[in-house]
Amino acid sequence: MITPEATPQLFRGLLQTPDGLITRVSESNGRQIRFQATFSLSDRLIECIRHQPRDIIYSERSRIARLGVQIKCPPLTPDCLDGRTAVLDLTATQVIAGYPGLDLLRDFFTAGLPVGRLVYCDADALMTSDQVLAAIEESALKLPASASISSDGSIVIAPHRVVCELKAPIGREVLGRILIKDNGREILGRHQVRRPVRALKIPAGEGVITTCSMYLNEHYVVLQSGFELGGHLPATILDPIKTRGIRIYLEIVNRTAHLLVNPLITAKIYRAPTIRPSRRRSDKGRPRYTFEEMQVLRARLDALRPATCNFLDKPVGLLSKPTEEPRFFVNGPDAPCAATMAECVVARRDFSVRSCCAHQYATARLRDAAIDEPSALV
């Protein structure tokens, strides 16, 4: 069921935006990339930015950080609001050597690239030292054995003594898949290896990618970036469930003027906020669709005009009320695609936003369907 109240911004109890997208690039060279990105907001997040902007943090997309890129975000203020979006001016720089530089990466830092999310860190969910210790003793939270708990509840993590490097230089096609495909992090993981070292040394002004061990079930860990014994890139949010294992990546930079040996990372731990029960419309008395009615709908879907795309041929139907005519949406661009099947195969190998393939899914057209009541998608 599709409901107008549904929002993807509440993830395991944490209030956050979907990944923000680049909308405009103002400067792009081998030193830095300056760009504007927009983040879709829910009503609750809009109120948080208006009244609690200090509790909203930007978390860089982890796959970008694991390529040695730092994206700086200015402190949020209510001035960044533009209707139901937040518009931010961000700057990307390369801070960790051994990975593709901005000369290659800037080809992908164009309109449409996901760059990270905005997350609301509720001060009421911040855990004290007693609560952190109790969670560890109950096995609800597992931290590295070397982790220390400070009096204010924050923890200090000692990373593994390993350095993560690329097995071999990666080309433009692989880099595009890492940045754009849904499984980009897994693709990067197949190219990134861990090399043991006797001591983790970071020269002044440089950085390193390493790992730690952590198991999160119901908690969020927010890494801190301003600690003198090790500053972390802005990929700061470690989510529950997704953060489980001995290979949790950390991107650490040395912002001091001296050699840093065996860095430490500080972090704060938040409980997953309780999800308030949403108001749902009762299904009592609502008409149901019979098997015969669905068979009629199937015949109507089969009779629709062919899709304008050579690859996508699955139309969808939107049902709001049994008394109303269903609305149908087909795949492909508005005009029939003139490319041959062979040309389609070549075009779809380019995963960048500049791909000449004009494919468009029927479900993407639902954004303009003005859905104002619970509906069924067929």
mmCIF file of all heavy atoms in Angstrom, residues 204-230:
data_model
loop_
_atom_site.group_PDB
_atom_site.id
_atom_site.type_symbol
_atom_site.label_atom_id
_atom_site.label_comp_id
_atom_site.label_asym_id
_atom_site.label_seq_id
_atom_site.Cartn_x
_atom_site.Cartn_y
_atom_site.Cartn_z
ATOM 1 N N ALA A 204 51.792 14.136 9.591
ATOM 2 C CA ALA A 204 51.023 15.378 9.733
ATOM 3 C C ALA A 204 50.338 15.733 8.421
ATOM 4 O O ALA A 204 50.941 15.680 7.349
ATOM 5 C CB ALA A 204 51.947 16.505 10.164
ATOM 6 N N GLY A 205 49.063 16.070 8.527
ATOM 7 C CA GLY A 205 48.302 16.493 7.360
ATOM 8 C C GLY A 205 47.851 15.374 6.450
ATOM 9 O O GLY A 205 47.255 15.640 5.399
ATOM 10 N N GLU A 206 48.090 14.115 6.805
ATOM 11 C CA GLU A 206 47.688 12.991 5.965
ATOM 12 C C GLU A 206 46.611 12.166 6.654
ATOM 13 O O GLU A 206 46.187 12.469 7.768
ATOM 14 C CB GLU A 206 48.909 12.125 5.619
ATOM 15 C CG GLU A 206 49.951 12.876 4.802
ATOM 16 C CD GLU A 206 51.093 11.972 4.355
ATOM 17 O OE1 GLU A 206 50.932 10.722 4.439
ATOM 18 O OE2 GLU A 206 52.132 12.497 3.929
ATOM 19 N N GLY A 207 46.165 11.097 5.988
ATOM 20 C CA GLY A 207 45.105 10.272 6.535
ATOM 21 C C GLY A 207 45.314 8.812 6.203
ATOM 22 O O GLY A 207 46.182 8.448 5.406
ATOM 23 N N VAL A 208 44.492 7.974 6.813
ATOM 24 C CA VAL A 208 44.578 6.540 6.591
ATOM 25 C C VAL A 208 43.187 5.936 6.762
ATOM 26 O O VAL A 208 42.350 6.461 7.509
ATOM 27 C CB VAL A 208 45.577 5.901 7.588
ATOM 28 C CG1 VAL A 208 45.011 5.913 9.004
ATOM 29 C CG2 VAL A 208 45.909 4.474 7.185
ATOM 30 N N ILE A 209 42.944 4.841 6.057
ATOM 31 C CA ILE A 209 41.699 4.090 6.215
ATOM 32 C C ILE A 209 42.040 2.798 6.944
ATOM 33 O O ILE A 209 42.934 2.060 6.541
ATOM 34 C CB ILE A 209 41.047 3.794 4.856
ATOM 35 C CG1 ILE A 209 40.663 5.109 4.171
ATOM 36 C CG2 ILE A 209 39.802 2.924 5.036
ATOM 37 C CD1 ILE A 209 40.073 4.938 2.790
ATOM 38 N N THR A 210 41.356 2.537 8.050
ATOM 39 C CA THR A 210 41.610 1.358 8.857
ATOM 40 C C THR A 210 40.269 0.768 9.296
ATOM 41 O O THR A 210 39.227 1.116 8.741
ATOM 42 C CB THR A 210 42.511 1.719 10.058
ATOM 43 O OG1 THR A 210 42.812 0.542 10.794
ATOM 44 C CG2 THR A 210 41.847 2.738 10.965
ATOM 45 N N THR A 211 40.274 -0.132 10.278
ATOM 46 C CA THR A 211 39.036 -0.795 10.695
ATOM 47 C C THR A 211 38.992 -0.920 12.209
ATOM 48 O O THR A 211 39.989 -0.717 12.916
ATOM 49 C CB THR A 211 38.918 -2.199 10.070
ATOM 50 O OG1 THR A 211 40.042 -2.990 10.495
ATOM 51 C CG2 THR A 211 38.879 -2.135 8.557
ATOM 52 N N CYS A 212 37.807 -1.303 12.710
ATOM 53 C CA CYS A 212 37.627 -1.665 14.114
ATOM 54 C C CYS A 212 36.542 -2.731 14.179
ATOM 55 O O CYS A 212 35.938 -3.074 13.152
ATOM 56 C CB CYS A 212 37.255 -0.450 14.970
ATOM 57 S SG CYS A 212 35.586 0.170 14.683
ATOM 58 N N SER A 213 36.283 -3.243 15.370
ATOM 59 C CA SER A 213 35.227 -4.244 15.568
ATOM 60 C C SER A 213 34.088 -3.616 16.365
ATOM 61 O O SER A 213 34.329 -2.890 17.324
ATOM 62 C CB SER A 213 35.768 -5.454 16.331
ATOM 63 O OG SER A 213 36.847 -6.041 15.633
ATOM 64 N N MET A 214 32.857 -3.919 15.957
ATOM 65 C CA MET A 214 31.709 -3.373 16.672
ATOM 66 C C MET A 214 30.440 -4.132 16.258
ATOM 67 O O MET A 214 30.298 -4.522 15.096
ATOM 68 C CB MET A 214 31.550 -1.879 16.380
ATOM 69 C CG MET A 214 30.641 -1.143 17.356
ATOM 70 S SD MET A 214 30.624 0.645 17.039
ATOM 71 C CE MET A 214 32.345 1.047 17.300
ATOM 72 N N TYR A 215 29.552 -4.331 17.229
ATOM 73 C CA TYR A 215 28.283 -4.996 16.960
ATOM 74 C C TYR A 215 27.170 -4.137 17.563
ATOM 75 O O TYR A 215 27.089 -3.982 18.782
ATOM 76 C CB TYR A 215 28.253 -6.402 17.571
ATOM 77 C CG TYR A 215 29.206 -7.366 16.906
ATOM 78 C CD1 TYR A 215 30.567 -7.353 17.208
ATOM 79 C CD2 TYR A 215 28.754 -8.281 15.961
ATOM 80 C CE1 TYR A 215 31.450 -8.226 16.596
ATOM 81 C CE2 TYR A 215 29.626 -9.164 15.341
ATOM 82 C CZ TYR A 215 30.975 -9.127 15.665
ATOM 83 O OH TYR A 215 31.848 -9.991 15.042
ATOM 84 N N LEU A 216 26.329 -3.576 16.712
ATOM 85 C CA LEU A 216 25.238 -2.707 17.157
ATOM 86 C C LEU A 216 23.903 -3.353 16.827
ATOM 87 O O LEU A 216 23.675 -3.760 15.679
ATOM 88 C CB LEU A 216 25.332 -1.334 16.483
ATOM 89 C CG LEU A 216 26.662 -0.579 16.644
ATOM 90 C CD1 LEU A 216 26.583 0.763 15.918
ATOM 91 C CD2 LEU A 216 27.002 -0.377 18.107
ATOM 92 N N ASN A 217 23.037 -3.435 17.829
ATOM 93 C CA ASN A 217 21.693 -3.974 17.616
ATOM 94 C C ASN A 217 20.625 -2.892 17.668
ATOM 95 O O ASN A 217 19.766 -2.809 16.793
ATOM 96 C CB ASN A 217 21.381 -5.046 18.666
ATOM 97 C CG ASN A 217 22.226 -6.289 18.499
ATOM 98 O OD1 ASN A 217 22.524 -6.691 17.385
ATOM 99 N ND2 ASN A 217 22.624 -6.890 19.606
ATOM 100 N N GLU A 218 20.685 -2.075 18.710
ATOM 101 C CA GLU A 218 19.638 -1.076 18.916
ATOM 102 C C GLU A 218 20.233 0.307 19.193
ATOM 103 O O GLU A 218 19.541 1.176 19.714
ATOM 104 C CB GLU A 218 18.737 -1.481 20.097
ATOM 105 C CG GLU A 218 18.045 -2.823 19.908
ATOM 106 C CD GLU A 218 17.275 -3.252 21.148
ATOM 107 O OE1 GLU A 218 17.412 -2.547 22.177
ATOM 108 O OE2 GLU A 218 16.566 -4.258 21.094
ATOM 109 N N HIS A 219 21.475 0.511 18.857
ATOM 110 C CA HIS A 219 22.139 1.765 19.189
ATOM 111 C C HIS A 219 22.816 2.364 17.966
ATOM 112 O O HIS A 219 23.161 1.651 17.023
ATOM 113 C CB HIS A 219 23.173 1.548 20.293
ATOM 114 C CG HIS A 219 22.612 0.957 21.543
ATOM 115 N ND1 HIS A 219 22.467 -0.404 21.723
ATOM 116 C CD2 HIS A 219 22.152 1.537 22.679
ATOM 117 C CE1 HIS A 219 21.939 -0.634 22.915
ATOM 118 N NE2 HIS A 219 21.745 0.519 23.512
ATOM 119 N N TYR A 220 22.997 3.681 18.042
ATOM 120 C CA TYR A 220 23.743 4.412 17.019
ATOM 121 C C TYR A 220 25.024 4.933 17.637
ATOM 122 O O TYR A 220 25.012 5.428 18.770
ATOM 123 C CB TYR A 220 22.927 5.592 16.475
ATOM 124 C CG TYR A 220 21.807 5.184 15.567
ATOM 125 C CD1 TYR A 220 20.569 4.820 16.081
ATOM 126 C CD2 TYR A 220 21.989 5.153 14.188
ATOM 127 C CE1 TYR A 220 19.538 4.431 15.247
ATOM 128 C CE2 TYR A 220 20.958 4.767 13.353
ATOM 129 C CZ TYR A 220 19.743 4.409 13.886
ATOM 130 O OH TYR A 220 18.734 4.013 13.057
ATOM 131 N N VAL A 221 26.114 4.822 16.899
ATOM 132 C CA VAL A 221 27.384 5.394 17.327
ATOM 133 C C VAL A 221 27.696 6.571 16.406
ATOM 134 O O VAL A 221 27.692 6.425 15.178
ATOM 135 C CB VAL A 221 28.519 4.350 17.280
ATOM 136 C CG1 VAL A 221 29.869 5.023 17.461
ATOM 137 C CG2 VAL A 221 28.308 3.300 18.368
ATOM 138 N N VAL A 222 27.933 7.724 16.994
ATOM 139 C CA VAL A 222 28.247 8.938 16.241
ATOM 140 C C VAL A 222 29.711 9.272 16.490
ATOM 141 O O VAL A 222 30.087 9.687 17.596
ATOM 142 C CB VAL A 222 27.338 10.107 16.655
ATOM 143 C CG1 VAL A 222 27.661 11.350 15.831
ATOM 144 C CG2 VAL A 222 25.868 9.730 16.479
ATOM 145 N N LEU A 223 30.537 9.066 15.480
ATOM 146 C CA LEU A 223 31.967 9.318 15.600
ATOM 147 C C LEU A 223 32.224 10.821 15.636
ATOM 148 O O LEU A 223 31.561 11.590 14.939
ATOM 149 C CB LEU A 223 32.714 8.681 14.430
ATOM 150 C CG LEU A 223 32.486 7.174 14.238
ATOM 151 C CD1 LEU A 223 33.144 6.707 12.955
ATOM 152 C CD2 LEU A 223 33.031 6.396 15.427
ATOM 153 N N GLN A 224 33.198 11.218 16.436
ATOM 154 C CA GLN A 224 33.533 12.629 16.582
ATOM 155 C C GLN A 224 34.768 12.950 15.735
ATOM 156 O O GLN A 224 35.708 12.156 15.664
ATOM 157 C CB GLN A 224 33.799 12.956 18.045
ATOM 158 C CG GLN A 224 32.663 12.558 18.973
ATOM 159 C CD GLN A 224 31.354 13.247 18.640
ATOM 160 O OE1 GLN A 224 31.248 14.463 18.726
ATOM 161 N NE2 GLN A 224 30.357 12.483 18.239
ATOM 162 N N SER A 225 34.758 14.116 15.110
ATOM 163 C CA SER A 225 35.803 14.430 14.136
ATOM 164 C C SER A 225 36.858 15.417 14.641
ATOM 165 O O SER A 225 37.824 15.679 13.951
ATOM 166 C CB SER A 225 35.173 14.999 12.860
ATOM 167 O OG SER A 225 34.436 16.175 13.161
ATOM 168 N N GLY A 226 36.703 15.946 15.846
ATOM 169 C CA GLY A 226 37.619 16.996 16.281
ATOM 170 C C GLY A 226 38.636 16.581 17.323
ATOM 171 O O GLY A 226 39.276 17.426 17.937
ATOM 172 N N PHE A 227 38.821 15.297 17.547
ATOM 173 C CA PHE A 227 39.712 14.810 18.596
ATOM 174 C C PHE A 227 41.159 14.897 18.125
ATOM 175 O O PHE A 227 41.487 14.480 17.021
ATOM 176 C CB PHE A 227 39.339 13.359 18.921
ATOM 177 C CG PHE A 227 39.918 12.835 20.198
ATOM 178 C CD1 PHE A 227 39.953 13.615 21.334
ATOM 179 C CD2 PHE A 227 40.398 11.538 20.269
ATOM 180 C CE1 PHE A 227 40.473 13.117 22.517
ATOM 181 C CE2 PHE A 227 40.915 11.034 21.451
ATOM 182 C CZ PHE A 227 40.950 11.823 22.573
ATOM 183 N N GLU A 228 42.060 15.410 18.961
ATOM 184 C CA GLU A 228 43.456 15.613 18.558
ATOM 185 C C GLU A 228 44.207 14.298 18.361
ATOM 186 O O GLU A 228 45.209 14.250 17.650
ATOM 187 C CB GLU A 228 44.184 16.477 19.587
ATOM 188 C CG GLU A 228 43.751 17.935 19.568
ATOM 189 C CD GLU A 228 44.616 18.795 20.444
ATOM 190 O OE1 GLU A 228 45.531 18.240 21.081
ATOM 191 O OE2 GLU A 228 44.377 20.011 20.502
ATOM 192 N N LEU A 229 43.754 13.221 19.012
ATOM 193 C CA LEU A 229 44.430 11.937 18.844
ATOM 194 C C LEU A 229 43.914 11.161 17.637
ATOM 195 O O LEU A 229 44.271 10.009 17.433
ATOM 196 C CB LEU A 229 44.273 11.090 20.117
ATOM 197 C CG LEU A 229 45.024 11.602 21.343
ATOM 198 C CD1 LEU A 229 44.807 10.683 22.522
ATOM 199 C CD2 LEU A 229 46.509 11.737 21.046
ATOM 200 N N GLY A 230 43.087 11.803 16.830
ATOM 201 C CA GLY A 230 42.582 11.171 15.616
ATOM 202 C C GLY A 230 41.274 11.791 15.199
ATOM 203 O O GLY A 230 40.277 11.676 15.906
#
